[in-house]
Amino acid sequence: MHKNNNWHKETAMIHEGYDSKEHQGSLAVPLYQTATYVFDSAEQGEKRFAGEEAGNIYSRLGNPTVSVLEERIARMEEGQAGLAFASGMAAVSAVLVHVTKANDHIVCSRGIYGCTFGFLKILEEKYAITHDLISMGTEEEIEKAVKPETTCIYVETPINPTMELVDLQAVVNVAKRHNLKVIVDNTFCSPYIQTPLTFGVDFVLHSATKYLNGHGDVIAGLLVGNDKEEMAKLRGTVQKDFGGVISPFDAWLLLRGIKTLPVRMDRHAANAKILFDYLKNHSRIEEVFYPFDDQHPQYEIAKKQMKTGGGLISFTIKGGKEEAQKLMNHLSLVKLAVSLGDAETLIQHPATMTHSAVPKEEREKMGVMDSLLRLSVGLEHMDDIIADLEQAFQFI
Ligand code: LCS
């Protein structure tokens, strides 16, 4: 396997974990589209199952294309080991099952993705694993939420879809005092913008469906940990036996997407800044949320842990659901779709879409109002996107 610890991140995203000499000179990582592997002998099969001989067994347990992806994401996040899953939710659920047992308690950031919220409800209803969604403005606030049965802190930063930030250093400081595991969902940033493990976090995960793939054609999840043995345990238990592994073809597409992550992220962020400047002065808009807004109260946190402001902007329009839906219905170049991180600029209405499963009262506590819209800024020329938004704003 190709490894060079001196490589910059941009280089590692193209080369880490792959040596063409081991694959007949193939420049691109070959796609091992196979379910199983042929043993040389019964004894070899026995040894592989017993863990006494390294080698392939069955693609739910490991696949050469997937292994390159896992090494690459581990390096990108500056972790010790990576695991690839069939979806972001498969990664979320696997790591939460790994770090909890019945009757435990989880401290969560004030806002989380709607289906992550749904999974926490399953843990609560079936296994009495409770959670509290709290504002994490200060270490004291976080500390107050910790109970004797708390085992982990689960954080999104920026939070989907409000763009509120959580100070990673503050979370880690509290976690260390109480011996808690910290899990960070880094989907909104990608490892090009933010690397939570470098702050002392234990696990970082992604909906790789988003920026990491970047082309809107894959559903996948990735998890990276700072402890090799613990990740091996997770691979051999929850991942293997729940079975939510990535397909080799999706891993192959992801490896292709990741090569261009730095150039895409720089353009997403540059375009988002153009759009932010347009939106913040718009007469039909109430408030715009973007982490690299120098007027934003959390700008200091943003600069401490993020390289750029990323490609997501949310905003509240004057009015409510009706005005939000009218705006969306009059857009044509900006696509009305959930998901994010693609070349296409996407808009969605969290209250009725990504966060519709969260009851209204809890949704509003997260800051997800009916007037809130989320824009995933794409790679188009922003004059065209602004022209589309401007004509649609005329209808509300
Ligand atoms: N974490 C975050 C922050 C997400 O935004 C999503 C999906 C997931 C985890 C789950 O990943 P998946 O299983 O879909 O790969 N977020 C979506 C969104 O905001 N719009 O559509 C999906």
Side-chain angles (χ1 to χ4, degrees):
M1 289 292 178
H2 227 43
K3 259 191 201 316
N4 181 332
N5 290 334
N6 296 323
W7 280 340
H8 292 87
K9 235 187 233 183
E10 290 82 351
T11 309
M13 289 185 206
I14 297 170
H15 295 284
E16 183 77 19
Y18 182 67
D19 187 348
S20 57
K21 289 195 188 72
E22 294 169 8
H23 297 273
Q24 305 198 42
S26 176
L27 176 70
V29 176
L31 168 56
Y32 284 87
Q33 187 70 30
T34 185
T36 196
Y37 304 84
V38 181
F39 304 129
D40 291 342
S41 65
E43 289 75 14
Q44 183 184 55
E46 182 182 11
K47 280 190 187 142
R48 290 206 180 158
F49 268 90
E52 290 161 8
E53 180 187 299
N56 295 310
I57 298 176
Y58 182 66
S59 276
R60 177 158 44 76
L61 317 183
N63 171 283
T65 309
V66 174
S67 299
V68 177
L69 173 65
E70 290 175 338
E71 285 206 28
R72 202 160 286 181
I73 190 65
R75 169 65 192 272
M76 287 159 63
E77 285 288 3
E78 302 190 35
Q80 294 301 313
L83 290 175
F85 291 85
S87 69
M89 283 317 302
V92 169
S93 52
V95 71
L96 281 172
V97 166
H98 177 73
V99 299
T100 56
K101 58 182 185 332
N103 302 309
D104 281 353
H105 174 252
I106 304 168
V107 174
C108 285
S109 51
R110 187 161 83 99
I112 44 173
Y113 170 57
C115 295
T116 303
F117 182 84
F119 186 68
L120 290 175
K121 287 285 172 208
I122 295 175
L123 290 180
E124 185 166 21
E125 281 158 20
K126 286 191 171 291
Y127 311 109
I129 298 168
T130 56
H131 58 269
D132 282 304
L133 272 67
I134 59 147
S135 158
M136 295 186 165
T138 60
E139 279 188 36
E140 291 69 35
E141 266 183 297
I142 306 166
E143 192 120 39
K144 258 203 325 223
V146 176
K147 298 177 177 181
E149 62 272 26
T150 306
T151 45
C152 76
I153 305 183
Y154 186 96
V155 168
E156 277 182 24
T157 181
I159 292 174
N160 182 4
T162 56
M163 305 309 292
E164 184 179 332
L165 304 184
V166 174
D167 184 335
L168 290 172
Q169 199 57 63
V171 171
V172 168
N173 289 347
V174 175
K176 287 215 181 332
R177 286 201 284 277
H178 297 273
N179 202 22
L180 309 174
K181 296 283 185 202
V182 179
I183 303 161
V184 173
D185 184 333
N186 202 22
T187 299
F188 268 37
C189 281
S190 89
Y192 179 65
I193 291 184
Q194 178 172 274
T195 44
L197 295 178
T198 61
F199 289 81
V201 160
D202 300 281
F203 297 97
V204 56
L205 66 88
H206 289 273
S207 167
T209 312
K210 313 292 161 39
Y211 287 113
L212 286 167
N213 180 56
H215 294 76
D217 47 16
V218 164
I219 297 280
L222 291 167
L223 175 71
V224 179
N226 64 359
D227 182 331
K228 224 177 180 130
E229 276 172 29
E230 189 152 359
M231 289 298 281
K233 193 169 156 203
L234 212 163
R235 180 194 289 280
T237 55
V238 179
Q239 194 197 34
K240 171 172 77 72
D241 298 338
F242 274 47
V245 294
I246 196 169
S247 82
F249 183 53
D250 285 346
W252 185 85
L253 284 171
L254 255 170
L255 283 164
R256 184 163 76 161
I258 285 171
K259 287 184 192 182
T260 56
L261 181 73
V263 284
R264 287 188 285 108
M265 290 316 293
D266 282 343
R267 181 61 68 88
H268 281 299
N271 282 353
K273 180 70 176 62
I274 295 169
L275 221 51
F276 171 72
D277 289 336
Y278 159 74
L279 293 169
K280 80 174 175 207
N281 297 316
H282 203 285
S283 60
R284 307 270 155 84
I285 285 182
E286 211 168 59
E287 225 179 327
V288 187
F289 307 98
Y290 185 62
F292 266 44
D293 165 12
D294 57 13
Q295 305 297 311
H296 194 284
Q298 291 187 308
Y299 186 48
E300 288 308 310
I301 300 176
K303 280 192 298 183
K304 216 168 55 172
Q305 58 198 38
M306 296 168 71
K307 182 184 168 86
T308 72
L312 285 151
I313 297 178
S314 59
F315 57 93
T316 47
I317 57 167
K318 288 180 182 161
K321 179 175 144 184
E322 197 184 318
E323 287 73 14
Q325 289 186 329
K326 236 186 233 170
L327 178 75
M328 289 188 289
N329 285 336
H330 284 96
L331 289 164
S332 68
L333 182 59
V334 175
K335 300 301 171 201
L336 175 47
V338 294
S339 203
L340 57 103
D342 296 329
E344 297 83 358
T345 296
L346 307 179
I347 195 164
Q348 69 110 358
H349 184 238
T352 58
M353 296 176 184
T354 52
H355 290 65
S356 56
V358 183
K360 189 173 169 71
E361 195 191 335
E362 291 186 71
R363 202 164 66 219
E364 294 194 340
K365 267 198 259 165
M366 293 181 182
V368 182
M369 304 303 172
D370 284 353
S371 58
L372 187 79
L373 286 158
R374 189 191 73 193
L375 261 183
S376 170
V377 183
L379 304 176
E380 303 96 336
H381 196 294
M382 282 302 106
D383 287 353
D384 298 328
I385 295 296
I386 288 172
D388 193 31
L389 283 164
E390 194 50 39
Q391 64 76 27
F393 270 124
Q394 305 310 314
F395 291 92
I396 61 168

